[in-house]
Amino acid sequence: MDIDSLTPAQRSALDQLQALTNGGDPEVAIGVLSSVDWDVQRAAEVVFDGVPPPQTTQPEAPRIEQFEVDDSEQGLLSGRSSGREFRPVESNSVSGLVIRPIRVVLNVLAIPLYPLFTLLRFIFRALRLPVPNFAPFTFSTLGYRPLGPSQGREAKDPKSVAERWVRALEEETGAICISRSGQRRTSGDGRGVASGVAGPSTLNARGGTWDDVAGERDSKLLPDFFLGSYEQFVRTCQKDMKIGCVVIVSEEHDNVAEFKRSTLTDPAFVRIIQENDILVWGGDIRDREAWSASQKLQATTYPFVAFIALQPRRAPAAATPPAPTMTILSRHQGPCIPSTSAPTAAQTLVTHLTENLLPRVNPFLDKLRAQEAERDRERALRAEQDRAFEESRRRDAERAEQRSREERAAIEAKRRLEEAEARARAELRKREEEKRQWDEHRMAWRRWIRRGLVVREPRPGEAARGKTMRVGIRMPDGRRVVRFFGENDTLTAFYAYVDSLFIPPEFIQDADPTTPPGGKTGEDGLVAEMSRSGKAPEKWWGFQIFLAYPRREIAWEAEKRIGDVEALKGGGQVVVELVQDNDGKKGKGKGKGEASGEDEDDEYHTESE
């Protein structure tokens, strides 16, 4: 098709596509446009993303975000659709056969330039200078987007595209985003913290305040950019009730480079953006999101800056006020020079924000936030009341069930208690009977031991019993007894004498039995009785004997001489202590003149006392 035969509308579409693709063959551009029914947006998708053209030419209903607009310095804006929105298309195209070989050739030719570009970038960054444009390539264009359309998943991911554009902006301006320099203020609203791959985010941030870096004049800063799609950015501004700043550039415009270096890095502009918590989103119209945003915002030249926020809808005075809607507050587009009066100069934007936009918008947003906070409190109160009601109903049901369980449990507990008491009484009677039988059995042995195993005290000159030993005995009831033993007397005789002191006075010695209950007499009979009872010697005797000082146990051993007991050599003072029975009670044994069994004074006294 000849260029001269094009209609004015077709010629305008051709000019727009050539402006986006840096010129190019008009015949190829005409072929791409004709394959998509002269839709510039679809043609841009075919060129940049390799999307095949549609098989049918039936136009799809435009999807454009509608804004109600407020009057600004540029005048009243309408929310009409421009008809150039991005629309998904599905079909084949021969344009990819032209674009891909060109891209491959250019990428191969650019390989030798990468080391040089890397060295120059290092030098300029070390000197804190902005990276200049090296035609036909720059670090930003090479690092941000290779020549030709981007392919793969990352190229279509809005977050990745936005982050790549921000990184390229940092390299080109020699500045760094506030969040990455650790200089963002700690507002606690989550700005500057990546929220994950699936959702929108901004660059990672560390803590700090703006005043912490007020004196660092050498560092250049950029605002924190929202990393995500344009629609996500608008929804975030609407949800958080914040002012949004949209920055759109085009590398084909001569004013863009100066705008990046002077306006976006201006300290006053960055500070007012940061202090007023304004969300910033940016992009290049070569990207789908930035192109779509430029069409929705009706940008006509670049650089382009727009401020958006929630504003009340216009409605008749008598009508109920409708819900607020996202509104274009102002648009600024064109050169940034001169710095005092240009539409996109930093001073112009700061003056507009401080004198017009913020005083007009902030009161309404503060009111919305207060209303939302009040609604949140009301919702929380209603939710708390609902929870309280459900909790009360649940507790009532639980109380009724608990009473029923308690009644059944009380009946069962009473039955079990009666059974347990009956078993306890039977067990107590059984233990008492066993103890009574053991006490009777043990008293019978005591009485026989007093007759058969207790030896008399040695007489003077009785050499057969060896050297006489004087032993002082302190009983558990406080009695003190002094007894003489021969060195050759057995330890059993000593224990037998102590055991006889536990016999009550009503049992006279003359009535003691002549034979033990087991029938076998002597020390052998005593040993056999202990073996039959299954008790340890101290359990069977019911007491233990200790040397008073130093405290040392004198354990009973069969057929052992008193003279062989190291603790009793030469006599001494001993203490008798009761041994607990199996039921945890100390064995009883009251002798003549014994005090109450509860008197268990452990004081030790020598014989001289």
Side-chain angles (χ1 to χ4, degrees), residues 428-442:
L428 180 60
R429 286 194 298 269
K430 178 181 178 182
R431 287 198 301 269
E432 289 176 349
E433 180 63 20
E434 291 176 351
K435 188 176 184 308
R436 184 188 62 78
Q437 293 177 0
W438 170 254
D439 290 343
E440 291 179 355
H441 178 76
R442 186 68 178 82

Side-chain angles (χ1 to χ4, degrees), residues 241-558:
M241 289 171 283
K242 294 181 179 181
I243 300 174
C245 176
V246 181
V247 178
I248 303 176
V249 297
S250 173
E251 294 299 333
E252 304 307 320
H253 288 71
D254 297 335
N255 298 319
V256 168
E258 181 62 27
F259 170 79
K260 292 179 180 178
R261 288 191 292 267
S262 61
T263 300
L264 294 184
T265 62
D266 183 77
F269 177 72
V270 175
R271 177 164 188 162
I272 197 171
I273 290 292
Q274 191 73 9
E275 288 183 345
N276 290 276
D277 205 10
I278 298 176
L279 292 182
V280 184
W281 181 89
D284 192 294
I285 60 170
R286 293 178 297 177
D287 294 319
R288 173 181 299 187
E289 289 295 329
W291 169 265
S292 177
S294 69
Q295 299 306 300
K296 293 173 182 178
L297 298 174
Q298 299 181 359
T300 58
T301 186
Y302 304 95
F304 174 86
V305 179
F307 294 97
I308 62 175
L310 283 173
Q311 288 291 283
R313 293 178 184 266
R314 293 183 176 86
T320 304
T325 182
M326 290 300 295
T327 304
I328 302 175
L329 304 175
S330 64
R331 296 187 307 170
H332 310 263
Q333 51 193 341
C336 60
I337 300 174
S339 61
T340 58
S341 59
T344 58
Q347 183 175 344
T348 303
L349 297 178
V350 171
T351 302
H352 172 69
L353 287 171
T354 55
E355 297 182 0
N356 297 325
L357 192 144
L358 293 177
R360 182 182 62 182
V361 176
N362 276 343
F364 179 73
L365 294 182
D366 293 340
K367 180 181 178 181
L368 288 182
R369 296 188 190 103
Q371 293 174 351
E372 183 64 22
E374 181 64 26
R375 285 192 292 269
D376 290 341
R377 286 192 295 269
E378 292 177 356
R379 284 193 292 267
L381 179 60
R382 286 195 297 270
E384 184 64 27
Q385 291 173 346
D386 293 341
R387 285 194 298 270
F389 176 76
E390 292 297 330
E391 182 67 18
S392 176
R393 186 171 61 179
R394 183 186 61 81
R395 285 198 299 267
D396 292 342
E398 288 180 352
R399 290 192 191 100
E401 181 64 22
Q402 182 67 19
R403 284 194 295 269
S404 177
R405 289 197 300 267
E406 288 175 355
E407 292 175 356
R408 294 192 298 269
I411 296 174
E412 182 65 18
K414 183 179 180 181
R415 182 186 63 80
R416 290 197 299 267
L417 180 61
E418 292 174 351
E419 293 177 355
E421 289 177 350
R423 289 194 299 269
R425 288 192 296 269
E427 184 66 21
L428 180 60
R429 286 194 298 269
K430 178 181 178 182
R431 287 198 301 269
E432 289 176 349
E433 180 63 20
E434 291 176 351
K435 188 176 184 308
R436 184 188 62 78
Q437 293 177 0
W438 170 254
D439 290 343
E440 291 179 355
H441 178 76
R442 186 68 178 82
M443 185 57 65
W445 270 95
R446 277 199 180 101
R447 296 181 64 190
W448 176 82
I449 286 173
R450 182 170 62 175
R451 175 182 287 272
L453 296 180
V454 176
V455 297
R456 60 176 175 78
E457 293 181 301
R459 299 185 180 90
E462 191 175 0
R465 296 180 62 179
K467 182 180 177 180
T468 301
M469 301 170 57
R470 184 176 183 274
V471 181
I473 305 171
R474 187 173 186 275
M475 297 298 291
D477 56 10
R479 289 180 297 153
R480 292 173 57 196
V481 181
V482 177
R483 178 78 173 182
F484 292 91
F485 294 91
E487 191 177 41
N488 294 330
D489 291 344
T490 63
L491 190 58
T492 301
F494 176 62
Y495 262 78
Y497 175 73
V498 174
D499 191 45
S500 67
L501 297 178
F502 288 94
I503 300 176
E506 59 266 21
F507 296 101
I508 60 176
Q509 187 172 359
D510 294 339
D512 289 343
T514 57
T515 58
K520 189 175 182 180
T521 61
E523 189 171 345
D524 294 339
L526 179 64
V527 173
E529 164 60 19
M530 289 184 181
S531 178
R532 284 194 302 269
S533 67
K535 296 178 178 290
E538 64 273 9
K539 292 287 186 178
W540 191 90
W541 288 106
F543 59 84
Q544 290 176 291
I545 301 175
F546 296 89
L547 184 66
Y549 185 83
R551 181 177 174 83
R552 188 184 307 167
E553 182 182 3
I554 303 173
W556 175 82
E557 294 183 28

